[in-house]
Amino acid sequence: TVAAVCSRPWFDPTSTGALACGLAGWMLFLAGGAFRLWATLHIGGRKGKTVVDDGPYSLTRNPLYFGIFLMTLSIAAFLQSPGLAIGLALASWFYLRITVRSEERRLSAKLGPDYRDYCNQISRFWPRTATFQVPALLSVDVRCLAVECRRALRWIWIPLAAEACWDHAGSEFI
C-alpha cells in the first residue's frame, strides 16, 4: 500500500487519463457516500431489531459496507494506482469475509428464520437490481442520520488528501 501510494501516477496531470481517473474517483466517492446515506435512511432505528429488506437492503445485505468499499476504491482512482486498487480490494475482501460472517451469525441467532430467508434471497455484497423494492413510506430516525453525517465528515479527507498530494505549482506528485 505504501509503495502504491508513494509511486508516481500513471498519467500526466494534464492528460485525459488523469481527468478520467479523477472523475472515476469522484464518482466512486460520491456513489459510496450516497449508498451509505441511503442505507442509513432505511435502517436507522431498526438495526438488529427486525429484518430490513427494502431500499438498498433489497439490493445487498450489506449496503453500508458496499458504500465504504466504493469510497475506499476512490482512493486508488484519485491516486491513479491500479496496484493500490487491487490491494484495497483484497484487504476489503478479507475484512468483510470475517466481519460479515460474524454479523450474520449474530443476526441469524437474534432474528431467526426471517433473517435466514432474507439471506437466501439477497446478495451478501454485490448489489442485484432484480431484488429491488421500496416501501410506500419510510420512517427516518434523525439521530441515526446525524451519526451517519458525522461519519461522512471523516471520509471527506479522501479527495482532499489526494488533491494535497499534487504540487500545483510544478504539477508534480509529492
Side-chain angles (χ1 to χ4, degrees):
T1 301
V2 171
V5 170
C6 294
S7 65
R8 287 187 138 317
W10 276 32
F11 301 105
D12 178 80
T14 59
S15 72
T16 305
L19 178 63
C21 283
L23 182 60
W26 277 108
M27 289 173 55
L28 287 165
F29 181 76
L30 294 173
F35 218 82
R36 281 193 59 85
L37 181 60
W38 186 31
T40 300
L41 290 173
H42 279 265
I43 194 115
R46 300 190 290 169
K47 189 172 186 174
K49 297 176 185 170
T50 185
V51 176
V52 178
D53 61 357
D54 53 32
Y57 290 89
S58 67
L59 298 171
T60 172
R61 297 194 309 259
N62 295 283
L64 292 166
Y65 289 139
F66 183 73
I68 285 181
F69 176 73
L70 294 177
M71 293 171 80
T72 301
L73 281 185
S74 77
I75 298 168
F78 283 126
L79 296 178
Q80 302 176 29
S81 178
L84 182 59
I86 292 167
L88 290 172
L90 286 173
S92 296
W93 181 79
F94 281 112
Y95 172 79
L96 290 171
R97 184 178 171 120
I98 294 166
T99 305
V100 169
R101 287 187 182 186
S102 171
E103 286 182 5
E104 286 179 346
R105 280 192 298 274
R106 183 180 52 78
L107 288 170
S108 181
K110 187 172 187 177
L111 301 175
D114 288 343
Y115 182 75
R116 289 188 286 282
D117 289 345
Y118 170 70
C119 289
N120 289 329
Q121 296 170 9
I122 306 299
S123 168
R124 176 178 275 154
F125 187 72
W126 297 108
R128 270 196 339 237
T129 57
T131 56
F132 181 63
Q133 62 182 2
V134 292
L137 292 174
L138 179 64
S139 176
V140 175
D141 186 325
V142 178
R143 290 170 297 170
C144 292
L145 185 58
V147 168
E148 183 59 27
C149 287
R150 283 192 296 273
R151 285 185 185 137
L153 289 174
R154 292 184 217 156
W155 286 94
I156 195 64
W157 68 268
I158 293 173
L160 297 176
E163 183 66 27
C165 289
W166 288 95
D167 174 18
H168 293 288
S171 293
E172 277 191 29
F173 195 69
I174 296 177

